[in-house]
Amino acid sequence: MSGSLHTSSSVGIEGKEAAPAKQHCEHQAECLKKIQAILDGGASEEEKAHFLQNINVCMPCIEMYALEKCIKEALQGKVEKKCCPEKVAAAIRAQIAS
Ligand SMILES: [Zn+2]
């Protein structure tokens, strides 16, 4: 009974586990361009995969990606009721108006 209280103080570099994603993006314009390139099919599989990994830590871009995707699908006429229609409708109106 050699009281080895081995408290593994594994305080790594990532001390904050309650912050999985950033709440705002400092590269939002860049991200939007990439999102549109991906949705337009102008991005390679590699770029796509890399980007999708990156937006996983970027809340606004996850939402923006989902929204852009819905808008594109809605504009193409294949609307599925899986995404918030009001939000998408508003975004479509905004895009058409601009
Ligand atoms: Zn971003």
Side-chain angles (χ1 to χ4, degrees), residues 36-91:
Q36 283 170 341
I38 287 165
L39 292 175
D40 288 343
S44 68
E45 285 300 314
E46 204 174 63
E47 284 176 312
K48 212 191 263 188
H50 182 247
F51 177 73
L52 290 176
Q53 267 182 347
N54 278 336
I55 65 168
N56 278 339
V57 293
C58 197
M59 267 312 279
C61 292
I62 297 170
E63 285 176 10
M64 190 159 64
Y65 178 73
L67 192 62
E68 289 288 324
K69 199 164 182 283
C70 283
I71 292 168
K72 193 168 177 63
E73 283 172 2
L75 289 176
Q76 286 172 346
K78 43 177 180 178
V79 192
E80 287 175 53
K81 302 213 168 163
K82 60 184 175 184
C83 60
C84 173
E86 272 177 55
K87 208 175 175 186
V88 174

Side-chain angles (χ1 to χ4, degrees), residues 22 25-28 31 55 58 61:
K22 293 187 288 181
C25 179
E26 58 271 29
H27 313 289
Q28 202 151 357
C31 289
I55 65 168
C58 197
C61 292

